[in-house]
Amino acid sequence: MVHDTIAAISTAVGEGGIAIIRISGPEAISGIATVFRSKINLKDAETHTLHYGHIIDPISGEEVEEVLVTLMRGPRSFTAEDVVEINAHGGVIAVKKVLDVVLQLQGYRTAEPGEFTKRAFLNGRIDLMQAEAVIDLIRSKSDRAFSVARKQAEGVLSKRIKALRQTVIELLAHIEVNIDYPEHDVEEMTNSFIRDQCDSAIDEIDRLLKTANEGKILREGIVTAIVGRPNVGKSSLMNVLTQENKAIVTDIPGTTRDVIEQFVALNGIPLRLLDTAGIRETTDVVERIGVERSRNALEEADLILLVLNYNEPLQADDRELLLQMKGRPVIAIINKTDLPRQLEIEVVEESISADSIVKMSVLEEDGLDRLEKTISEMFFEGQLESGDLTYVSNVRHIALLKRARQSLVDAIEASEAGIPIDLIQIDARSAWESLGEILGDEAGDSLIDQIFSQFCLGK
């Protein structure tokens, strides 16, 4: 049971129109009432109301800041506790002065990272899967990723996991009745019954895991390395995709000396773009370091955008890169199509499928739609715009679903091998507990602490 009251700044530090200090706990209302000067006594105010007044210094009685105070009585609040939010002027000094006053109050302390969401979980307002979705909402890099996280935060995915657990618990109940009351006339625990129940759960897990790759991409983004020899248009492509001048563009080969990283949402697909130094043999010490980093980025990438020059014949460095692309997830971008063709495209097609070759003029921004379509088909089978937003995106959830699935497979195999029912019960219970760990029902304190430590202060 939580007995103390926590406070933290919930808005980003820096200049802004307003800053919000959030307080939650048993003394949230009574404590703030002692330092809030207004026409109304905060302790008598109705829930979900907003009040104008001033925060005062409890010692000198001087006004510290002009504020608006929002009051939300538990359990109708984010944490299911009494919550007060103080809206002050934005700026480092103003909000710090207010927070200093608040933390002087008896029973108050600074909130730990993610502690407000943790209290919502501990108080039963949300499950662990919904709590983790809050992190994804904050970190979303595209509209699509935000929509998926919002659905998870609303509990859409949690309902499916709970239904899965219900299927498994029904199997456990039948097993335990047969173990505890063998003399009663209960449904016989046959191999077909165990298989039917387990198969039903396995089919649902498979449906969820089918979305795992797409969900992980939407959550984390596709690590995309833009590679090619110097001066083929890599940095220009980076600038067009990001709509910013992130990379220096000149006619001088070897301008980019390091890996430049930027997130971009391309038709709803989050890409973690890595603009690399031109890969070529060089005697320049600094450029050679950049080339080595480019090769490392190439190895780590989920997707490679290989840029080639439509206006020049293939060079030795181009041919070497084409050899390295075999078996890799690559899209060849034939750039500078606004100029006369000199590139041997048929040679490129010997290494890269024609479906993965996109002709573009980055200068004229021609061909971006074709690039978007090619990426979508490569990673989402062209179905990114589907209305179903029930994606499994969290690595922890994916691992636990796979563990639960394996336990159910083990239960089927044990049953068919004639192993006693009480041992089959162990596999079924393992599946039930793995699913419960996703929701937080079976999660240990260390796991919960580790998850919420990823949050920012004030959330």
Side-chain angles (χ1 to χ4, degrees), residues 64-267:
V64 173
E65 170 67 319
E66 183 181 28
V67 299
L68 289 172
V69 170
T70 305
L71 182 148
M72 291 164 278
R73 297 184 185 275
R76 293 175 55 205
S77 71
F78 177 67
T79 61
E81 302 172 337
D82 287 345
V83 171
V84 172
E85 291 184 351
I86 302 173
N87 295 255
H89 290 98
V92 176
I93 301 301
V95 71
K96 183 179 183 302
K97 283 181 174 291
V98 174
L99 183 61
D100 286 344
V101 169
V102 169
L103 292 177
Q104 290 178 36
L105 297 172
Q106 187 173 0
Y108 279 53
R109 65 170 173 83
T110 302
E112 298 173 358
E115 191 168 3
F116 292 97
T117 308
K118 184 177 182 179
R119 289 194 176 194
F121 165 67
L122 294 175
N123 291 330
R125 184 182 173 277
I126 57 176
D127 59 47
L128 194 57
M129 177 175 269
Q130 290 174 285
E132 288 172 286
V134 174
I135 305 177
D136 295 340
L137 278 170
I138 296 169
R139 296 177 178 173
S140 296
K141 299 297 189 298
S142 69
D143 291 342
R144 188 73 179 183
F146 178 84
S147 297
V148 169
R150 183 172 59 81
K151 285 292 184 182
Q152 290 187 8
E154 290 172 357
V156 172
L157 199 53
S158 296
K159 289 178 182 176
R160 293 183 67 173
I161 300 298
K162 288 174 182 175
L164 261 172
R165 291 195 89 202
Q166 184 61 33
T167 300
V168 178
I169 199 67
E170 287 171 4
L171 172 62
L172 275 170
H174 279 287
I175 291 174
E176 290 178 3
V177 165
N178 276 265
I179 292 172
D180 296 339
Y181 305 102
E183 70 279 5
H184 289 272
D185 184 18
V186 295
E187 184 177 354
E188 183 182 0
M189 290 300 301
T190 63
N191 290 343
S192 62
F193 178 81
I194 293 174
R195 174 175 283 280
D196 288 346
Q197 290 293 100
C198 290
D199 280 345
S200 175
I202 289 170
D203 287 345
E204 175 64 2
I205 290 174
D206 286 344
R207 282 190 287 271
L208 290 171
L209 288 175
K210 189 177 179 181
T211 70
N213 185 53
E214 291 90 341
K216 187 171 180 289
I217 287 170
L218 288 171
R219 184 176 190 257
E220 301 177 8
I222 303 171
V223 180
T224 306
I226 304 175
V227 301
R229 63 180 171 83
N231 216 30
V232 291
K234 299 185 304 300
S235 296
S236 296
L237 177 62
M238 175 79 157
N239 290 341
V240 166
L241 292 175
T242 61
Q243 295 297 303
E244 296 181 43
N245 291 322
K246 295 290 291 186
I248 299 171
V249 178
T250 74
D251 292 330
I252 304 170
T255 304
T256 303
R257 298 298 187 93
D258 205 347
V259 176
I260 299 172
E261 182 174 335
Q262 177 78 352
F263 262 101
V264 62
L266 194 65
N267 194 27

Side-chain angles (χ1 to χ4, degrees), residues 279-436:
I279 297 178
R280 65 170 178 175
E281 294 301 322
T282 177
T283 57
D284 185 294
V285 175
V286 177
E287 187 180 357
R288 192 163 64 242
I289 294 171
V291 170
E292 185 60 33
R293 291 182 179 179
S294 296
R295 296 188 192 281
N296 292 337
L298 194 64
E299 292 301 316
E300 296 171 4
D302 301 316
L303 171 65
I304 300 166
L305 301 181
L306 173 62
V307 185
L308 301 168
N309 190 344
Y310 185 79
N311 186 234
E312 292 180 351
L314 286 171
Q315 307 293 308
D317 291 328
D318 293 325
R319 295 176 185 274
E320 179 63 28
L321 282 168
L322 283 170
L323 288 174
Q324 294 179 37
M325 294 302 108
K326 290 185 177 180
R328 302 295 303 278
V330 59
I331 296 174
I333 295 177
I334 311 298
N335 186 30
K336 305 187 182 183
T337 55
D338 52 306
L339 299 174
R341 172 190 162 184
Q342 296 189 46
L343 183 75
E344 308 93 325
I345 294 180
E346 61 278 3
V347 177
V348 178
E349 291 178 344
E350 291 174 5
S351 298
I352 298 173
S353 166
D355 294 336
S356 298
I357 297 176
V358 177
K359 296 178 182 178
M360 295 182 65
S361 171
V362 174
L363 181 65
E364 298 180 355
E365 299 190 15
D366 177 45
L368 283 175
D369 54 342
R370 292 191 293 275
L371 177 59
E372 292 174 357
K373 185 174 183 294
T374 304
I375 294 175
S376 179
E377 289 175 346
M378 182 178 289
F379 287 91
F380 295 90
E381 299 179 353
Q383 299 178 353
L384 184 60
E385 296 307 315
S386 167
D388 183 11
L389 295 174
T390 314
Y391 288 94
V392 179
S393 58
N394 188 296
V395 174
R396 188 181 74 87
H397 303 163
I398 294 169
L400 288 168
L401 281 170
K402 289 180 177 178
R403 187 197 299 172
R405 187 189 191 283
Q406 185 58 52
S407 295
L408 293 168
V409 170
D410 291 344
I412 292 173
E413 292 177 350
S415 173
E416 293 178 345
I419 291 175
I421 269 186
D422 54 343
L423 296 180
I424 297 173
Q425 179 193 41
I426 295 173
D427 291 323
R429 181 167 292 280
S430 175
W432 185 74
E433 289 174 351
S434 294
L435 295 170

